[in-house]
Amino acid sequence: MSNNIEIIMDIDTLEIFEVIDLDGDKEVETVTDSENFSKEEKASPYDDLNRIWLGNGYYYKPSSLLWQAEKDGVVHRLRPKNKHGTYPYLQRSRDHTWGHVYQLTQEEAMWLTLEFNPGLMNYV
């Protein structure tokens, strides 16, 4: 065995799953623990920030949209209050040819919610 090896292991339990000799002539030595692979645990799709992994390199945060409405071919979206104290509001066309993002105050967001989705007034 050479000095150029790769070890795949679990850091928490220090259990070694696989040892790969990177200098070998396409000879790979692997050591697997079949008992560990049979006990697959159900992993949560949420991470520590309560985001969902989409699998294409992006995350989706379920609480990142308060409401969405469509009126006269224009899609209106209101997002929760951000760290600057404003509510991001997006207006865009249904075919994505144009769009505008506004930063609304709480009063403006409440008036907009009253107009488009009055049932969600408690969340603004």
Side-chain angles (χ1 to χ4, degrees), residues 23-53:
D23 285 340
D25 298 330
K26 295 187 180 181
E27 292 179 18
V28 178
E29 177 185 340
T30 60
V31 178
T32 60
D33 184 9
S34 61
E35 178 184 303
N36 199 15
F37 290 120
S38 65
K39 295 187 291 184
E40 292 185 23
E41 295 179 11
K42 176 81 174 168
S44 173
Y46 295 96
D47 67 348
D48 295 338
L49 299 175
N50 206 17
R51 300 176 301 180
I52 298 175
W53 175 251

Side-chain angles (χ1 to χ4, degrees), residues 2-6 8 18 21 24 33 35 42 50 69 71-72 81-82 85 89 92 94 98 115 119 121-122:
S2 69
N3 291 335
N4 192 8
I5 61 171
E6 180 177 339
I8 300 172
E18 192 171 6
D21 184 7
D33 184 9
E35 178 184 303
K42 176 81 174 168
N50 206 17
K71 183 177 180 182
D72 299 329
K81 184 190 275 188
N82 58 20
Y89 167 63
R92 68 165 175 81
R94 189 176 358 181
W98 62 268
E115 178 183 349
M121 285 296 292
N122 295 337

Side-chain angles (χ1 to χ4, degrees), residues 4-22:
N4 192 8
I5 61 171
E6 180 177 339
I7 300 174
I8 300 172
M9 64 185 292
D10 184 10
I11 296 294
D12 297 330
T13 63
L14 297 178
E15 188 170 356
I16 297 175
F17 298 121
E18 192 171 6
V19 178
I20 302 172
D21 184 7
L22 298 176

Side-chain angles (χ1 to χ4, degrees), residues 81-87 104-106:
K81 184 190 275 188
N82 58 20
K83 64 181 179 181
H84 305 292
T86 61
Y87 291 83
L104 303 179
T105 63
Q106 184 171 4

Side-chain angles (χ1 to χ4, degrees), residues 36-114:
N36 199 15
F37 290 120
S38 65
K39 295 187 291 184
E40 292 185 23
E41 295 179 11
K42 176 81 174 168
S44 173
Y46 295 96
D47 67 348
D48 295 338
L49 299 175
N50 206 17
R51 300 176 301 180
I52 298 175
W53 175 251
L54 294 177
N56 57 359
Y58 296 100
Y59 284 96
Y60 166 71
K61 190 167 184 179
S63 64
S64 63
L65 185 63
L66 287 177
W67 56 260
Q68 177 175 330
E70 185 174 338
K71 183 177 180 182
D72 299 329
V74 178
V75 177
H76 304 269
R77 288 184 182 168
L78 185 67
R79 300 192 180 270
K81 184 190 275 188
N82 58 20
K83 64 181 179 181
H84 305 292
T86 61
Y87 291 83
Y89 167 63
L90 170 71
Q91 279 184 333
R92 68 165 175 81
S93 67
R94 189 176 358 181
D95 59 358
H96 299 277
T97 55
W98 62 268
H100 301 286
V101 177
Y102 302 100
Q103 301 296 324
L104 303 179
T105 63
Q106 184 171 4
E107 293 173 5
E108 293 169 331
M110 289 178 80
W111 280 106
L112 202 63
T113 302
L114 183 63

